[in-house]
Amino acid sequence: MTDTAASPRILAVANQKGGVGKTTTAINLGTGLAQAGHTTLIIDLDPQGNASTGLDSPSDQREITTYDALTGQSDLSDAMIETPVENFWLVPASVDLSGLDVELSTENTRARRLADLLSNHALTDRFSYILIDCPPSLNILTVNAMVAAHGIVVPLQCEFFALEGLTQLLSTVKGVQQSLNPQLKIDGICLTMYDRRNRLSAQVEEDVRTTLGDVVYATVIPRNVRLSEAPSYGMPALVYDPNCAGSQAYRSLALELISRTSRTRAA
Ligand code: ATP
Ligand code: MG
């Protein structure tokens, strides 16, 4: 897959640690990109289906899902549905995804399923960005996302053990780079749930920036209750409360990511 200006930039939102803000980031970053005029697709690759629910596609209303596309039972184009946000499309998840590891265990193309679907340029070139919301695991689903992606967005929760687990994630990335996807990069690491009343958040930020440097986005996502309320209304926080601190931060993250994309493409 070539990363030309006409093709979408494909980003996996991944961290095998649970509850660090992957889905919140995928939904609100995607909305920020769409609202900035970049047509965006979010692929829900997590059997939990939280990105789908949070974008007004509850489990009992999903028809064609990521599972159907990955198993070849439906075309990816038929699985794409509109979200409440203009320019923002969704491929919803299904709980069936949790069995995919076993179902595909004997197939030698099992890690390339998503990459093959997204290499259909007639289908994907109308998008500027494709975000993949990964499950909290380094299983075949996350590996499929890494094989399909140009970059990874890693949400990192501002807590004491923030950096733990990152080594494992980075070694999986390295494995994928050396085998199936040499172009894969970490697009950036995004600090989430930053609590400015808590000294620990500031310490974690300092620690992470010292250790990891420029790969950490300048934007930090604050802990903000509006971000956690929005999914129960089936809408992104950027729509539910566009002016809350969380929405402002995700808009700023979207702009930062867009400027990284143009730097990457110019390089
Ligand atoms: P999983 O690993 O289960 O997929 P995840 O990494 O996708 O989880 P989220 O679902 O985005 O994480 O977030 C976990 C919980 O924390 C959710 O209830 C979400 O609403 C809440 N949350 C995420 N980010 C923030 C934030 N910045 N401020 C407040 N709450 C947040
Ligand atoms: Mg999630």
Side-chain angles (χ1 to χ4, degrees), residues 2 5 18 23 45 60 64-65 74 76 93 103-104 116 122 136 142 156-157 165 185 187 199 205 222 238 248 254:
T2 47
T23 302
L45 203 57
D60 58 352
I64 303 172
T65 66
S74 296
L76 185 63
E103 280 179 52
L104 299 180
D116 287 345
T142 300
L156 206 64
Q157 190 178 342
K185 293 200 173 61
D187 189 85
R199 248 173 10 114
E205 179 179 12
L238 271 76
Q248 291 182 30

Side-chain angles (χ1 to χ4, degrees), residues 23 46 50 133:
T23 302
D46 184 352
N50 295 337
D133 187 29

Side-chain angles (χ1 to χ4, degrees), residues 17-24 46 48 136 193 221-224 227-228:
K17 218 165 167 189
V20 296
K22 292 180 287 295
T23 302
T24 306
D46 184 352
Q48 298 180 97
M193 301 189 222
I221 309 300
R223 187 173 279 285
N224 179 229
L227 290 173
S228 53

Side-chain angles (χ1 to χ4, degrees), residues 199-242:
R199 248 173 10 114
L200 181 63
S201 278
Q203 276 168 16
V204 170
E205 179 179 12
E206 196 188 324
D207 202 19
V208 169
R209 291 198 189 280
T210 308
T211 313
L212 302 167
D214 280 352
V215 75
V216 186
Y217 296 112
T219 308
V220 171
I221 309 300
R223 187 173 279 285
N224 179 229
V225 71
R226 307 303 260 173
L227 290 173
S228 53
E229 285 169 2
S232 61
Y233 296 92
M235 54 176 109
L238 271 76
V239 174
Y240 172 66
D241 185 351

Side-chain angles (χ1 to χ4, degrees), residues 60-104:
D60 58 352
Q61 287 175 28
R62 294 176 209 153
E63 289 175 6
I64 303 172
T65 66
T66 321
Y67 174 82
D68 301 313
L70 287 172
T71 52
Q73 293 173 50
S74 296
D75 288 341
L76 185 63
S77 56
D78 293 332
M80 294 175 187
I81 55 173
E82 285 181 87
T83 73
V85 181
E86 202 182 339
N87 292 331
F88 193 26
W89 293 72
L90 164 74
V91 177
S94 147
V95 285
D96 298 335
L97 280 172
S98 56
L100 208 65
D101 235 340
V102 178
E103 280 179 52
L104 299 180

Side-chain angles (χ1 to χ4, degrees), residues 78-140:
D78 293 332
M80 294 175 187
I81 55 173
E82 285 181 87
T83 73
V85 181
E86 202 182 339
N87 292 331
F88 193 26
W89 293 72
L90 164 74
V91 177
S94 147
V95 285
D96 298 335
L97 280 172
S98 56
L100 208 65
D101 235 340
V102 178
E103 280 179 52
L104 299 180
S105 60
T106 55
E107 300 234 1
N108 56 11
T109 59
R110 58 204 288 266
R112 300 201 48 87
R113 285 288 174 113
L114 185 61
D116 287 345
L117 291 178
L118 298 182
S119 67
N120 179 351
H121 288 269
L123 191 64
T124 57
D125 279 0
R126 70 189 175 100
F127 299 106
S128 300
Y129 288 94
I130 297 179
L131 301 180
I132 307 166
D133 187 29
C134 293
S137 153
L138 292 170
N139 62 9
I140 192 68

